[in-house]
Amino acid sequence: MKNSPLIPGSRLVRFVFEESNRPLSRVVTFGIISGIAGGCVLAAINQGAQAAAGSPNLQPVLLFTGLLALFLYSKRYSLINAVMAVEEMLQCVRNRVAKKISDSELDAIERVGPSYIFNRLSQDTILISDSAHVIFASFGALIMLIFATIYIAIISLEGFVMTLGAISLGVITFLSKRREIISAVRSATQNEVEFLGSVEQSLSGFKEVKLHQGKANDLLRTQAAIGATLEGAKKRAGRSQTFVMMFSQAFFYALLGVVVFVWPVVMNEPTEIVIKVTATILFIIGPIDLVVGSMPLFMEADVAVENLKELERRLECGKVKIPARSIDLAPAFTGLQIQDVMFQYPADQDETAFQLGPINLEVTPGEMLFIVGGNGSGKSTLLKILTGLYYPTTGEIISDGKPLQRADYPRYRQNFSAIFNDFFLFDRLYGVSPAVYGRANDLLKWLDISAKTAFEGGGFTNRNLSTGQRKRLALVAALLEERSVYVFDEIAADQDPLFRRRFYEEILPTIRDQGATLIAVTHDDRYFEHADRVVIMEEGQIRPFG
């Protein structure tokens, strides 16, 4: 566990200073001015109250008005610019995380997990955004508190000592609970990630859960257990936070009682001094409530900043440090050879027992290659190796007559357009030139899906379709990318018999005849005759079919 900052909110403030291009020193300066002006307003009020007993005097009114105007302007300036700086900082972080996701390797994203990324980018950024204005407002309140305490010292040394004692007791109370609160907040954050991941499973596997009541009940029990742990962490944090707030308030109300009832009797203090000190303490109770009441939010914001930095560190580890090269266009596909390639999943993933290879395979330009094999034989892993999404553990891939180096992979991947078994259908055709949009509706007709959807404004008008129909839309999107090699993973599995037949007898040959290379995973043995070559995967090994 990382060391927690002694001053709550300091990690967020430091993060804002590191990330923002705004002149934050000016924001801090105006925050200090607003705190000083707020303290001086109190002095002006006391002076005006004292002068009210004598002849009318305009000077206290003008002083009060000027100080109040200065307080309002400086506070407004500091808060508005602080909030804008935080939002600009968060936008920089979002953009940076999005870029790191784009630059990460597939296995790194799989290790980090979508739920973790979503939670960090949603919950933590919202928390930081919501806490920003409170933190900077509390900074001004703290400055006001300091100067009000100095004002008490000017009025009465005894009053200052009593006030300082009450503040010290409040600080000690907070420090005694600080670690407990932060530990509970961190625990709650982790439990929230687990709970959202469990809910994601419920939604992603909704059909399976609906068909199996035992599975549904077991999943609900797991979610209830995670929720109970989350509830316990939140309650622990809430109890500690309430303890700090109540005791801090109790110290100051007790201080008021001592000042009003005990101090004049024991110290024989003049009534005028007692009234001024009492008024000042009443004045600073508001800023104290703001500072103390916001402490839990400050600690949560520090944890959120820590979480965002950890997300960036984990994504950074998934990036391959390679020289910058142009990857807009891949060279003409001249074939590829896989030589003695082996692949094994990292030790922290579930597939530790599975090993692919050694694999030796050649793909020639313009051929239609079918890959067959049982579940778990390694077909999908092989496709990720072929397309450059996974790096071989050993062995090499030969492309354009040369072994691929890490720096070559981004450009090598531009040869491929793939529809994997767990494909995703985007809301728009990102990366596709508008010049080919005119072909989209023709392709929809060709694939017998134009009655269900159309192509308008860069996207499909209806994506709420069956799995087989969505695969046809994915095929349209892939064909519009106009790549040299198309990789299809069981794309015909969810199609009706008539379309399945057309897919193998007409659609795939037409794509090949237009100059493309096709690599398709399939189980439809009745159509193997249409392939130029068929290979079979068995327990991570590849061999000719037949």
Side-chain angles (χ1 to χ4, degrees), residues 12-243:
L12 173 58
V13 173
R14 187 166 61 249
F15 194 38
V16 175
F17 269 81
E18 292 170 355
E19 297 287 340
S20 177
N21 294 321
R22 285 183 173 269
L24 291 177
S25 57
R26 189 182 303 172
V27 175
V28 173
T29 300
F30 273 81
I32 294 173
I33 291 174
S34 70
I36 295 174
C40 291
V41 165
L42 170 64
I45 290 173
N46 277 339
Q47 181 182 350
Q50 186 175 358
S55 58
N57 189 350
L58 192 59
Q59 183 179 356
V61 176
L62 294 176
L63 178 62
F64 169 78
T65 303
L67 289 172
L68 182 60
L70 177 62
F71 168 74
L72 294 175
Y73 175 79
S74 56
K75 186 168 186 176
R76 177 182 179 276
Y77 179 91
S78 63
L79 290 182
I80 288 178
N81 281 275
V83 169
M84 289 193 291
V86 169
E87 293 304 328
E88 291 167 1
M89 176 270 292
L90 288 176
Q91 183 59 20
C92 288
V93 171
R94 293 187 191 102
N95 290 340
R96 195 163 60 233
V97 168
K99 182 65 167 64
K100 288 183 177 181
I101 291 173
S102 177
D103 293 342
S104 291
E105 298 297 333
L106 174 61
D107 60 341
I109 295 298
E110 290 172 343
R111 286 196 301 272
V112 175
S115 295
Y116 181 85
I117 297 173
F118 291 151
N119 194 267
R120 297 286 73 84
L121 284 179
S122 57
Q123 179 180 337
D124 290 329
T125 54
I126 291 173
L127 178 60
I128 291 173
S129 178
D130 290 345
S131 63
H133 72 284
V134 180
I135 287 180
F136 283 92
S138 297
F139 174 72
L142 183 61
I143 299 297
M144 184 187 301
L145 174 61
I146 292 172
F147 275 85
T149 305
I150 294 173
Y151 176 68
I152 292 177
I154 295 173
I155 297 173
S156 168
L157 182 60
E158 293 85 354
F160 168 75
V161 171
M162 289 187 291
T163 304
L164 188 61
I167 293 175
S168 300
L169 287 172
V171 171
I172 292 171
T173 301
F174 163 72
L175 292 176
S176 69
K177 292 289 183 179
R178 171 176 158 271
R179 288 185 179 276
E180 183 178 338
I181 295 173
I182 292 176
S183 175
V185 169
R186 282 178 173 154
S187 176
T189 299
Q190 181 60 37
N191 294 143
E192 284 171 343
V193 173
E194 294 178 13
F195 185 79
L196 289 176
S198 182
V199 172
E200 182 184 8
Q201 290 189 73
S202 295
L203 296 175
S204 300
F206 186 82
K207 295 185 293 296
E208 293 84 349
V209 170
K210 206 69 177 173
L211 293 172
H212 196 301
Q213 190 60 45
K215 181 182 295 185
N217 293 338
D218 200 12
L219 188 57
L220 280 173
R221 282 192 293 269
T222 300
Q223 291 170 347
I226 298 172
T229 305
L230 173 59
E231 178 188 10
K234 290 283 191 180
K235 284 181 176 179
R236 287 198 306 275
R239 282 194 296 266
S240 298
Q241 293 163 5
T242 302
F243 178 86

Side-chain angles (χ1 to χ4, degrees), residues 260-275:
V260 173
F261 301 113
V262 179
W263 190 29
V265 176
V266 175
M267 304 297 294
N268 198 26
E269 198 70 25
T271 303
E272 177 186 340
I273 299 298
V274 172
I275 291 174

Side-chain angles (χ1 to χ4, degrees), residues 40 48 57 153 173 182 236 269 294 375 397 430 443 485 488 520 532:
C40 291
N57 189 350
T173 301
I182 292 176
R236 287 198 306 275
E269 198 70 25
S294 302
N375 293 332
I397 297 178
Y430 296 103
L443 288 172
V485 185
F488 303 139
D532 297 310

